[in-house]
């Protein structure tokens, strides 16, 4: 049996914008994203980065795009060195915010500038950038959980909608108190993004836990309690998980 981790990278023309760890998924839908990956060996990172750039150059790709790979793991959830290409998304993905946090760039602004004919330098991208700190995004969905763990979308009126704030905390959302949600659309309500200096995943998870506790959402059910339990899990905090971890536990 092969276990996998989901890894993606934003590529800008011929330049790389770092990688993200996207393995904490439920039914192939990402719930938590981390940048940079806390468990990717440097040689494997370099090999996948090279593959992403070679594909972008071969296709003469001229905008931002997300290149996604699977990394094979051994029984101890350690990378074996093997990886497989999944797909290229010719756009930014929902989790682009963690790349923005560690790279210090506004990727939406960069994409628009490139579409308008700007060079990488004119779009504000400098050579030799390295990730600074650790960032995590958690997707807050409107949902309820059945007894078997199956998630069902939920909707209603947001009677209260108070958000966390402070250094290293960002919330992207369309919600506000009094807003009537629509069950016909995606259940995603907000994205919580936290950022800490250094490369300490545990500190980033601690900041995320405190921020989750500061949400006050009334009128709709959310997965905040589930996310709090997930990021408190010992294996998650140690980086020992794969794409099937949530389903298995």
């Amino acid at each position: 049996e092969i276990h996998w981790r989901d890894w993606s990278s934003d590529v800008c023309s011929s330049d790389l914008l770092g990688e993200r760890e996207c393995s904490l998924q439920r039914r192939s839908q990402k719930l938590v994203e981390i940048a940079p990956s806390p468990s990717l060996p440097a040689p494997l990172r370099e090999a996948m980065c090279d593959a992403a750039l070679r594909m972008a150059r071969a296709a003469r790709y001229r905008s931002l795009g997300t290149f996604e790979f699977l990394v094979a793991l051994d029984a101890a959830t350690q990378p074996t060195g093997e990886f497989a290409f999944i797909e290229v998304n010719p756009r930014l993905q929902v989790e682009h915010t963690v790349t923005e946090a560690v790279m210090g760039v506004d990727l939406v602004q960069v994409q628009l500038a490139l579409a308008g004919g700007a060079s990488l330098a004119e779009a504000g991208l400098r050579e030799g950038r390295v990730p600074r700190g650790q960032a995590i995004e958690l997707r807050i969905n409107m949902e309820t959980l059945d007894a078997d763990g199956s998630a069902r979308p939920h909707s209603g009126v947001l009677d209260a909608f108070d958000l966390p704030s402070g250094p290293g905390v960002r919330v992207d959302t369309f919600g506000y108190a009094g807003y009537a949600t629509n069950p016909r659309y995606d259940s995603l309500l907000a994205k919580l993004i936290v950022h800490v200096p250094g490369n300490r995943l545990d500190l980033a998870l601690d900041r995320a836990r405190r921020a989750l506790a500061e949400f006050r959402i009334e009128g709709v059910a959310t997965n905040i309690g589930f996310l709090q339990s997930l990021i408190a899990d010992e294996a998650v905090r140690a980086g020992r998980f794969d794409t099937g971890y949530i389903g298995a536990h």
Side-chain angles (χ1 to χ4, degrees), residues 43 49 68 125 141 170 211 216 238:
C49 288
E68 196 161 1
L125 294 182
N141 298 326
R170 165 182 168 183
R216 177 172 170 256

PDB file of all heavy atoms in Angstrom, residues 43 49 68 125 141 170 211 216 238:
ATOM      1  N   PRO A  43      16.282  17.600  -1.282  1.00  0.00           N
ATOM      2  CA  PRO A  43      16.457  17.047  -2.637  1.00  0.00           C
ATOM      3  C   PRO A  43      15.135  16.793  -3.349  1.00  0.00           C
ATOM      4  O   PRO A  43      15.030  17.008  -4.560  1.00  0.00           O
ATOM      5  CB  PRO A  43      17.213  15.737  -2.372  1.00  0.00           C
ATOM      6  CG  PRO A  43      17.892  15.934  -1.065  1.00  0.00           C
ATOM      7  CD  PRO A  43      16.945  16.765  -0.259  1.00  0.00           C
ATOM      8  N   CYS A  49      10.393  21.045  -7.827  1.00  0.00           N
ATOM      9  CA  CYS A  49      10.455  22.422  -8.329  1.00  0.00           C
ATOM     10  C   CYS A  49      10.991  22.445  -9.752  1.00  0.00           C
ATOM     11  O   CYS A  49      10.470  23.159 -10.621  1.00  0.00           O
ATOM     12  CB  CYS A  49      11.336  23.276  -7.420  1.00  0.00           C
ATOM     13  SG  CYS A  49      10.619  23.676  -5.819  1.00  0.00           S
ATOM     14  N   GLU A  68       0.685  20.622  -9.260  1.00  0.00           N
ATOM     15  CA  GLU A  68       0.372  19.758  -8.127  1.00  0.00           C
ATOM     16  C   GLU A  68       0.978  18.371  -8.320  1.00  0.00           C
ATOM     17  O   GLU A  68       0.924  17.795  -9.407  1.00  0.00           O
ATOM     18  CB  GLU A  68      -1.144  19.651  -7.956  1.00  0.00           C
ATOM     19  CG  GLU A  68      -1.565  19.095  -6.609  1.00  0.00           C
ATOM     20  CD  GLU A  68      -3.007  19.431  -6.285  1.00  0.00           C
ATOM     21  OE1 GLU A  68      -3.680  20.080  -7.104  1.00  0.00           O
ATOM     22  OE2 GLU A  68      -3.454  19.029  -5.198  1.00  0.00           O
ATOM     23  N   LEU A 125       8.285  40.951  -8.360  1.00  0.00           N
ATOM     24  CA  LEU A 125       8.904  39.682  -7.996  1.00  0.00           C
ATOM     25  C   LEU A 125      10.415  39.783  -8.167  1.00  0.00           C
ATOM     26  O   LEU A 125      10.908  40.046  -9.249  1.00  0.00           O
ATOM     27  CB  LEU A 125       8.355  38.547  -8.861  1.00  0.00           C
ATOM     28  CG  LEU A 125       6.873  38.222  -8.668  1.00  0.00           C
ATOM     29  CD1 LEU A 125       6.474  37.052  -9.547  1.00  0.00           C
ATOM     30  CD2 LEU A 125       6.554  37.918  -7.217  1.00  0.00           C
ATOM     31  N   ASN A 141     -16.016  25.814   6.980  1.00  0.00           N
ATOM     32  CA  ASN A 141     -17.185  25.488   6.165  1.00  0.00           C
ATOM     33  C   ASN A 141     -18.456  25.516   6.998  1.00  0.00           C
ATOM     34  O   ASN A 141     -18.438  25.243   8.200  1.00  0.00           O
ATOM     35  CB  ASN A 141     -17.030  24.083   5.563  1.00  0.00           C
ATOM     36  CG  ASN A 141     -15.838  23.969   4.642  1.00  0.00           C
ATOM     37  OD1 ASN A 141     -15.480  24.919   3.951  1.00  0.00           O
ATOM     38  ND2 ASN A 141     -15.213  22.811   4.628  1.00  0.00           N
ATOM     39  N   ARG A 170      -5.196  36.494   9.657  1.00  0.00           N
ATOM     40  CA  ARG A 170      -5.944  37.050   8.528  1.00  0.00           C
ATOM     41  C   ARG A 170      -7.182  36.187   8.289  1.00  0.00           C
ATOM     42  O   ARG A 170      -7.117  34.966   8.396  1.00  0.00           O
ATOM     43  CB  ARG A 170      -5.064  37.070   7.277  1.00  0.00           C
ATOM     44  CG  ARG A 170      -5.785  37.283   5.951  1.00  0.00           C
ATOM     45  CD  ARG A 170      -4.786  37.240   4.794  1.00  0.00           C
ATOM     46  NE  ARG A 170      -5.450  37.168   3.493  1.00  0.00           N
ATOM     47  CZ  ARG A 170      -4.810  37.066   2.321  1.00  0.00           C
ATOM     48  NH1 ARG A 170      -3.485  37.039   2.304  1.00  0.00           N
ATOM     49  NH2 ARG A 170      -5.486  36.994   1.184  1.00  0.00           N
ATOM     50  N   ALA A 211      -6.892  31.468  17.337  1.00  0.00           N
ATOM     51  CA  ALA A 211      -7.736  32.242  16.422  1.00  0.00           C
ATOM     52  C   ALA A 211      -9.083  31.553  16.213  1.00  0.00           C
ATOM     53  O   ALA A 211     -10.134  32.218  16.171  1.00  0.00           O
ATOM     54  CB  ALA A 211      -7.025  32.445  15.097  1.00  0.00           C
ATOM     55  N   ARG A 216     -16.869  33.967  16.588  1.00  0.00           N
ATOM     56  CA  ARG A 216     -18.231  33.886  17.140  1.00  0.00           C
ATOM     57  C   ARG A 216     -19.191  33.900  15.963  1.00  0.00           C
ATOM     58  O   ARG A 216     -19.424  34.945  15.347  1.00  0.00           O
ATOM     59  CB  ARG A 216     -18.510  35.059  18.085  1.00  0.00           C
ATOM     60  CG  ARG A 216     -19.942  35.062  18.644  1.00  0.00           C
ATOM     61  CD  ARG A 216     -20.106  36.125  19.719  1.00  0.00           C
ATOM     62  NE  ARG A 216     -21.503  36.286  20.086  1.00  0.00           N
ATOM     63  CZ  ARG A 216     -22.280  37.309  19.696  1.00  0.00           C
ATOM     64  NH1 ARG A 216     -21.768  38.274  18.932  1.00  0.00           N
ATOM     65  NH2 ARG A 216     -23.538  37.376  20.056  1.00  0.00           N
ATOM     66  N   ALA A 238       2.861  16.604  14.708  1.00  0.00           N
ATOM     67  CA  ALA A 238       4.194  16.073  14.405  1.00  0.00           C
ATOM     68  C   ALA A 238       4.443  15.963  12.906  1.00  0.00           C
ATOM     69  O   ALA A 238       5.538  15.568  12.492  1.00  0.00           O
ATOM     70  CB  ALA A 238       4.355  14.703  15.064  1.00  0.00           C
TER      71      ALA A 238
END
